[in-house]
Amino acid sequence: MNAAQIKPLLEPIRSFLQCETPDEWLAEAQKTENLPVLLRDHMVCELKAAQSAMLLIRRYAVDQASGDALLAWLAPYEDYTYRLIGDWRTLPQHNRLQKKMIPRSDKPYSAELIDKMVLLIKEELHHFYQVLEVAEHYGVAYDKVTSSRYAKELLRHVRTHEPATLIDKLICGAYIEARSCERFAKLAPLLPPQLSEFYVSLLRSEARHYQDYLTLAEQIAGADISARIAFFGEREAELILAPDADFKFHSGLPQGAVAA
């Protein structure tokens, strides 16, 4: 994929986000010594994206049996990531849902939420495995990594009554996905060839995700949510531009740096 093909994918993402990734973060990201944490945290981010989608389906769209099937689907990935159990090379054989999801009749948006989120989970788990392949190529062994502040701080602003809670979570999901794509594009020219090609491929496959989240949020709200989208855009930009001592895939301005 060349620059001309990337541009139409990135333009709506850049318009949606309220700031660009600072050059100071990119300078840290391209340092050889930071490659292990970048890859390890990216891998965990892919799993967390799948987990977040799974939780939305379980909480809002399916019955208990379907929810249990979703838990079983992600279990081998969680075992490896959090407990270092299993061989990562066998994970692709687990990337399939063993049960048809049954939408809840009391939630009119259940079927669409299931369709969009199940597809997202499959893609995120595939990317999870691909990050492990790239890490092996560069001699980076997986080890546990602590979470960054980014998603936790963003979700701290979610309202606590329904359907506002669900709408806010979907908006947060949109920003997390959009920021990931923006960073894939920013990082690609700065990294070793195989990793650069990988991030470009991720941009192509994940550019749709943030729009899926927004579409669901708008449909469920049944009203204008532009003010809420703008609110979370401001919070997201604050996190990206605020000093951050912990370098991660979604971390903010490296501590001590001054944004241009």
Side-chain angles (χ1 to χ4, degrees):
M1 178 178 283
N2 56 38
Q5 293 171 308
I6 290 174
K7 186 178 179 181
L9 293 176
L10 271 181
E11 283 181 345
I13 291 170
R14 286 174 172 161
S15 297
F16 177 61
L17 296 171
Q18 295 196 16
C19 73
E20 293 190 24
T21 291
D23 290 341
E24 292 83 355
W25 184 90
L26 293 168
E28 286 295 307
Q30 64 183 307
K31 291 179 180 177
T32 302
E33 62 267 29
N34 283 331
L35 183 60
V37 71
L38 186 72
L39 289 174
R40 289 166 184 159
D41 189 54
H42 179 188
M43 189 204 83
V44 175
C45 287
E46 297 288 352
L47 176 61
K48 287 184 175 178
Q51 289 175 312
S52 296
M54 177 199 70
L55 289 172
L56 289 175
I57 300 173
R58 293 185 68 232
R59 171 69 178 82
Y60 295 103
V62 296
D63 60 10
Q64 182 67 46
S66 296
D68 290 344
L70 288 166
L71 289 173
W73 184 12
L74 266 65
Y77 297 86
E78 294 171 334
D79 283 342
Y80 180 78
T81 303
Y82 303 126
R83 293 172 281 278
L84 298 176
I85 295 173
D87 182 348
W88 67 269
R89 295 168 185 82
T90 68
L91 289 174
Q93 65 186 270
H94 298 289
N95 193 4
R96 60 179 65 89
L97 187 56
Q98 300 295 337
K99 183 183 184 301
K100 181 178 174 61
M101 296 288 99
I102 307 299
R104 286 173 51 178
S105 59
D106 62 325
K107 303 290 185 182
Y109 51 78
S110 293
E112 187 161 5
L113 191 151
I114 290 168
D115 289 344
K116 283 184 165 59
M117 294 297 104
V118 165
L119 178 58
L120 186 146
I121 293 169
K122 288 179 179 177
E123 292 178 346
E124 302 290 9
L125 294 181
H126 177 59
H127 297 158
F128 173 96
Y129 178 78
Q130 287 182 303
V131 178
L132 283 167
E133 286 186 312
V134 170
E136 183 181 61
H137 174 80
Y138 289 106
V140 176
Y142 174 66
D143 198 3
K144 295 178 183 178
V145 61
T146 57
S147 299
S148 70
R149 70 184 185 184
Y150 177 77
K152 180 179 179 181
E153 287 299 309
L154 199 57
L155 290 165
R156 187 167 62 83
H157 300 284
V158 168
R159 292 168 290 183
T160 57
H161 59 280
E162 299 292 359
T165 300
L166 174 56
I167 293 164
D168 283 358
K169 286 180 178 179
L170 290 167
I171 295 171
C172 287
Y175 275 106
I176 293 168
E177 293 288 342
R179 180 60 63 187
S180 296
C181 286
E182 188 254 3
R183 290 200 162 172
F184 293 151
K186 290 268 192 178
L187 282 168
L190 308 176
L191 296 174
Q194 183 169 334
L195 191 52
S196 175
E197 292 170 8
F198 174 52
Y199 279 160
V200 170
S201 74
L202 288 183
L203 172 62
R204 181 174 56 239
S205 63
E206 294 204 359
R208 184 199 75 252
H209 289 178
Y210 91 96
Q211 293 172 326
D212 286 345
Y213 273 110
L214 280 183
T215 297
L216 283 167
E218 289 165 350
Q219 289 176 346
I220 291 166
D224 181 18
I225 58 171
S226 57
R228 201 63 186 162
I229 292 171
F231 170 82
F232 277 105
E234 292 169 3
R235 305 291 79 73
E236 198 273 343
E238 288 169 358
L239 288 166
I240 293 301
L241 298 177
D244 194 341
D246 183 25
F247 176 76
K248 293 287 171 53
F249 195 88
H250 289 96
S251 57
L253 192 69
Q255 199 166 54
V258 178

